Amino acid sequence: MKKSLVLALITAISAVGGYFVTIKTQTKATASEKVTEIIAKEVKVGTGDVIIGLSETASITIPTHGIFFDYALTIKDILVKEGQIVKVGDPLFDVEVEAVDDDIETLEDKIDGYQEQLDDINDTITSLNKDYDNAVKDKGIETEKAKLTLDKSLLQIESSQGNYEAQMTSFDRQKEDLLKKKADLQADKSEYQALINTYEKDHAELWKLEAEYDKLDDEIEADEIWVEGREDDKDKELDDAEGAIERLEAQIDDVEWQRDIDIDAQEDKIAHQENVIEDYKDQIDNYKEQIKEYEDYIKEQEDTIDLHKDVMDDFADDNEDYMGINATKENDTWEEQIENKEEEIENKEDEIIDLEILFDEALNNEYNNPTDANMSATALAHEKLLTAETKLEQLEEELEELEEDYDEYLEEFGISENVDNDYNTLEDEHDVLNDELNARKDTLDDMNDVLTDMNDMLADMNDVLSDLNAELADIKADATDKISDIQDEIADFNTVIKDIDEYRALINGNVSDKEAILKDLQADIAEIEAELKEIYNGQELEDLQDILDDIIYDLEQNAKDLDDLDNDIDNTMTEEQYNVEIDALEAAQARSSYDTTVANLQDKIDDIVADIADQRDKKEDVLADIAETEAELKELLEIVETAQIVSDIDGVITSIDVAIKDETKEKQVLIEIANHIDNTYVKASISQDDIGQLSVGQDVEITVDAKDDVTFMGKVDTISYTAGPSMSGNVNYTVTTLLEGDTTGLYEGMSAEATFIEEKALDVPVVELRAIKTVGKKSIVKIKDPITGEPMEIEVTTGLSDGVKTEIISGITIGDTVLIESAVTSMGPSSALKNETSTQSQQQMPSMPQDMMRPTGGGGGGFRQ
């Protein structure tokens, strides 16, 4: 194997990244070449239907209609064939008509007999109608007589009741007058008794108020003298308190001024510390990003080592026959250039280690003394370290380009090493990759240690910030406490002022209150005097007692008059109530007679109406028999006239059940006709596990084996309640679906497949299911960029899927080009060894077995373009 192939593989392995490729790998110079390639099929996103449901095999069934004749006939000729389409009225058979003459005569006699029955029924109905009219007339007369007797009895009751009520009204009026007079006398008695009882008490109240008035008048005069002596003392106390308040308010202003100065200074310190912390957080975030990049690089390096090991193993397997055979001289000049470049890389790596040490020292400096100068020094050290790392990457790329140029030089001049050297080179490269990986892991550990130190320093900075905030809180609290103490003193002096004002108001109010009470007493005394004059009307106690004795005498006379009136009422009520009860009994007898008369007459009318209804029902039955017989007669006459039997429906003849010269029996089926236009069904057998998913009226999609380019639609018509026969022991139920639309071309027994639709999405964007790759919880497809033509991954939101195509809700639209990738391995012709890495787009791709397809894509350590 040529060294150019080995180095090309190493170069491809060391490259990080990659996205969409087709790889061909050739392994032997003397045998057929094994080629593995990833090819992509370009498919435009279009619209389609996605239907999910239960699918079962089924068969077409078309119900037939049998044509028969009510009488025996002889078939003279058959005018149609099986499979022929007929319409209503088309002739089907020629028949001999001589045999139906007796049947025609029998039907005519039967119609005459029905007509005689009809005449008898009409006569009976006429007679019953007359009886009905007479019964209605009799009911009217007898009812009126009974009603007159009843009305007379009711009028007598009203008259007796009126007399009784009038007499009782007179008694009630007399009793009402006596009761009113009694109530008035009792009220007068209560009033004068109350006046006598309260006379001395009411006057005692008046005398008490007059005594209180004299006492209060003396107290007011003494208070006015005392108040004049206390006014001067309170004025001096008020002046002293107001002066003290002014001095305390000035002290509050001084405390607030000093507090504001201290708070501003402390807030400046806090703001500075917060800025220092934010800057340090930014440095930590940047350092974390470097660690993440370093971790990603290590992961890519590990993937590269794994891939490199696979290449070594493949190389050893493919070239075991050539190991130790070929040997060539290496080009010293190229080797020297490569060694020089590798030496530069090693020097640069040593320089990075020194810069990392300087960066760590700067970080420690800043941690111990977080000044602006130390922070700037840390940022400068970090910038130098990043610049050196960038230079290292540039040197590594230059080494890679130099090695590629060397490979091209060797290939151009036919210079190669032996296979052993090629394999040794692979081993050396593998060791170098491992050493480099271990070195970078050590560096990563050092970086994580530095990050830990930085986080510790950040925690210390946050502690300093917390201390500063605590000091600020103490400053505010101390000032608040001082102000609160001064305000408490001011409150004490305000309390003194309030007490002085309240004392003045109290002593002045006390005099005013007593004067107001004195005035109220004057008003109360005048009011009581006026009330007593009004209540007693200037009368003495002896006058009131005489009036009360006269009222008691009048009450005794009123009670005697009421007793006499009650005796008269009792005598009158007994006599009049007897008369009313006699009249009521006579009225009840008249009512019963009236009701009985009306009921008996109505029963007679109802019986006649029922008889008329029975006769009319009989008439309807006879008329129906006549119509049925006349229809049979008409059919026979038409047979006699045409000597043919015709079709009564449109459809296709499915079977002819008689032959020429056959003598048929009554109602024997002569021919079967199927009408497929409205009566085409599909029957499917559904297992007991699935039958619960179906319901009458459910949409069904049907495909027929014989018509693979047409899809029919229908709805579930019936679901059998009982299970059908089964040879395997499974329990199945027959489900019948009625097809909709044009069913021309479908025949009884055709094989079909019925899909009982549970969910569907019609005319929506769809792609093939195999174009979608699941990454975590995301659905990813590769599409062709409409501008650059390059492949790109994009996340999509999917909907329904039937296992072949999937609905796309968002992410891509109709017209986008989706790439469906497949891996193909084949054996090619023996030719000059080479390696190709390219991207291909194909409009068509041969169908591949599912197990040969695998996803391709980018990732650390893969081949890239």
Side-chain angles (χ1 to χ4, degrees), residues 107-121:
L107 290 175
E108 289 174 343
D109 293 341
K110 194 175 182 180
I111 291 172
D112 292 339
Y114 286 141
Q115 194 63 51
E116 290 177 0
Q117 294 180 30
L118 187 62
D119 292 340
D120 293 340
I121 292 170

Side-chain angles (χ1 to χ4, degrees), residues 232-422:
D232 296 338
D233 296 338
K234 293 300 177 183
D235 288 340
K236 184 177 183 306
E237 291 178 11
L238 182 62
D239 292 339
D240 293 341
E242 289 176 347
I245 289 173
E246 290 178 1
R247 291 191 298 275
L248 291 172
E249 288 176 345
Q251 291 180 24
I252 289 176
D253 292 338
D254 294 339
V255 172
E256 288 177 342
W257 175 77
Q258 185 60 45
R259 177 198 60 188
D260 293 340
I261 292 175
D262 294 340
I263 288 175
D264 290 342
Q266 192 69 13
E267 287 178 343
D268 289 341
K269 293 179 182 179
I270 291 173
H272 173 74
Q273 185 68 11
E274 288 175 342
N275 292 333
V276 170
I277 290 173
E278 289 302 319
D279 293 340
Y280 203 71
K281 285 181 178 178
D282 293 339
Q283 294 180 37
I284 291 176
D285 291 340
N286 292 333
Y287 203 70
K288 286 181 179 178
E289 291 177 3
Q290 295 176 39
I291 291 175
K292 181 62 172 61
E293 292 172 359
Y294 219 80
E295 289 173 342
D296 293 342
Y297 185 83
I298 288 174
K299 180 62 173 64
E300 293 170 359
Q301 188 75 359
E302 289 173 343
D303 294 341
T304 300
I305 290 173
D306 292 340
L307 185 58
H308 188 276
K309 184 64 171 62
D310 293 340
V311 171
M312 289 175 59
D313 293 341
D314 291 342
F315 181 84
D317 292 341
D318 294 338
N319 296 279
E320 59 182 353
D321 295 337
Y322 303 97
M323 300 290 277
I325 297 176
N326 289 329
T328 59
K329 183 178 180 181
E330 298 181 2
N331 187 297
D332 295 335
T333 303
W334 283 101
E335 290 287 339
E336 183 178 354
Q337 294 180 34
I338 291 173
E339 290 175 359
N340 291 337
K341 188 61 65 177
E342 289 174 345
E343 184 178 353
E344 288 183 46
I345 290 173
E346 291 176 357
N347 293 335
K348 185 56 65 177
E349 289 175 343
D350 293 337
E351 181 183 346
I352 288 175
I353 293 173
D354 295 336
L355 290 173
E356 287 174 344
I357 294 172
L358 292 175
F359 177 66
D360 292 341
E361 292 175 352
L363 280 176
N364 290 328
N365 241 359
E366 183 180 347
Y367 173 81
N368 295 323
N369 187 13
T371 63
D372 292 341
N374 287 339
M375 291 173 63
S376 299
T378 302
L380 180 61
H382 183 253
E383 183 179 355
K384 289 181 179 180
L385 177 59
L386 291 178
T387 302
E389 289 176 343
T390 302
K391 181 61 177 176
L392 176 61
E393 292 175 358
Q394 181 180 351
L395 290 173
E396 288 174 343
E397 290 176 359
E398 291 173 359
L399 175 61
E400 186 176 303
E401 292 174 359
L402 188 61
E403 288 174 340
E404 289 176 356
D405 294 339
Y406 181 41
D407 292 339
E408 292 175 1
Y409 174 82
L410 292 176
E411 184 175 348
E412 181 179 357
F413 292 95
I415 301 174
S416 65
E417 299 177 352
N418 58 39
V419 173
D420 289 341
N421 289 339
D422 288 342

Side-chain angles (χ1 to χ4, degrees), residues 459-672:
D460 293 341
M461 291 180 176
N462 281 318
D463 292 340
V464 172
L465 179 61
S466 298
D467 293 340
L468 291 173
N469 280 314
E471 291 176 8
L472 176 61
D474 292 340
I475 292 171
K476 293 179 178 179
D478 291 342
T480 301
D481 292 341
K482 291 180 181 179
I483 292 172
S484 178
D485 293 340
I486 297 173
Q487 287 175 340
D488 290 341
E489 293 183 45
I490 292 174
D492 293 339
F493 282 108
N494 281 321
T495 301
V496 172
I497 293 173
K498 182 179 179 182
D499 291 341
I500 294 171
D501 293 337
E502 289 176 354
Y503 185 76
R504 281 179 167 176
L506 178 62
I507 59 178
N508 290 317
N510 188 33
V511 174
S512 299
D513 291 343
K514 289 182 179 180
E515 289 176 345
I517 294 172
L518 185 64
K519 187 176 181 181
D520 290 340
L521 285 174
Q522 287 176 334
D524 290 342
I525 291 171
E527 182 179 356
I528 290 175
E529 288 176 342
E531 289 177 356
L532 290 174
K533 184 177 181 180
E534 182 179 355
I535 292 172
Y536 299 102
N537 198 22
Q539 294 174 330
E540 299 295 334
L541 185 59
E542 291 78 5
D543 297 334
L544 294 175
Q545 188 63 53
D546 291 339
I547 295 172
L548 179 61
D549 293 339
D550 293 339
I551 292 173
I552 291 172
Y553 175 78
D554 292 339
L555 277 171
E556 292 173 350
Q557 291 298 318
N558 179 264
K560 183 175 180 303
D561 293 339
L562 280 172
D563 290 338
D564 294 340
L565 181 61
D566 287 337
N567 291 329
D568 294 339
I569 291 173
D570 290 339
N571 295 331
T572 302
M573 286 178 63
T574 301
E575 181 180 354
E576 293 300 329
Q577 282 180 345
Y578 174 77
N579 294 333
V580 170
E581 289 174 358
I582 293 297
D583 293 338
L585 181 61
E586 293 176 354
Q589 292 174 343
R591 167 65 70 183
S592 175
S593 176
Y594 172 80
D595 293 340
T596 302
T597 301
V598 172
N600 292 335
L601 293 172
Q602 186 61 45
D603 289 343
K604 183 177 181 180
I605 292 172
D606 293 342
D607 292 341
I608 296 172
V609 170
D611 292 339
I612 293 173
D614 291 340
Q615 292 299 319
R616 286 176 176 171
D617 290 340
K618 292 179 180 179
K619 181 178 179 180
E620 292 297 327
D621 293 339
V622 173
L623 288 173
D625 292 338
I626 292 173
E628 182 180 354
T629 306
E630 287 178 343
E632 292 182 16
L633 179 60
K634 180 181 178 182
E635 185 178 7
L636 284 175
L637 291 174
E638 289 176 351
I639 293 293
V640 170
E641 182 179 354
T642 63
Q644 289 182 334
I645 293 177
V646 300
S647 175
D648 58 0
I649 66 167
D650 296 339
V652 178
I653 296 173
T654 60
S655 67
I656 300 173
D657 301 327
V658 294
I660 297 174
K661 295 184 180 180
D662 280 356
E663 293 182 0
T664 67
K665 298 179 181 179
E666 295 179 1
K667 298 187 183 300
Q668 177 184 343
V669 175
L670 309 177
I671 196 169
E672 297 279 354

Side-chain angles (χ1 to χ4, degrees), residues 133-263:
D133 293 339
N134 292 330
V136 170
K137 184 177 179 181
D138 291 342
K139 178 185 176 183
I141 294 172
E142 296 299 325
T143 300
E144 188 63 30
K145 288 180 180 180
K147 189 173 186 306
L148 289 173
T149 302
L150 177 62
D151 290 344
K152 181 179 178 181
S153 300
L154 294 175
L155 287 173
Q156 183 61 39
I157 291 176
E158 290 178 0
S159 176
S160 300
Q161 187 70 29
N163 292 334
Y164 172 74
E165 290 176 354
Q167 199 162 4
M168 293 305 297
T169 300
S170 175
F171 285 141
D172 289 341
R173 190 178 300 111
Q174 294 177 41
K175 189 170 185 178
E176 183 179 350
D177 292 340
L178 290 173
L179 291 173
K180 184 176 183 301
K181 183 177 180 181
K182 178 182 179 180
D184 292 341
L185 289 171
Q186 287 177 338
D188 291 342
K189 178 184 176 183
S190 297
E191 180 182 354
Y192 278 95
Q193 185 66 56
L195 290 174
I196 291 171
N197 294 337
T198 59
Y199 188 87
E200 293 181 356
K201 179 181 178 182
D202 290 344
H203 281 77
E205 176 104 11
L206 174 64
W207 297 330
K208 179 180 178 181
L209 290 177
E210 288 174 345
E212 289 180 3
Y213 178 85
D214 294 338
K215 180 180 179 182
L216 186 60
D217 189 37
D218 294 339
E219 290 179 0
I220 290 173
E221 183 176 357
D223 287 344
E224 288 175 347
I225 295 171
W226 183 82
V227 167
E228 291 176 0
R230 296 296 294 164
E231 281 291 338
D232 296 338
D233 296 338
K234 293 300 177 183
D235 288 340
K236 184 177 183 306
E237 291 178 11
L238 182 62
D239 292 339
D240 293 341
E242 289 176 347
I245 289 173
E246 290 178 1
R247 291 191 298 275
L248 291 172
E249 288 176 345
Q251 291 180 24
I252 289 176
D253 292 338
D254 294 339
V255 172
E256 288 177 342
W257 175 77
Q258 185 60 45
R259 177 198 60 188
D260 293 340
I261 292 175
D262 294 340
I263 288 175

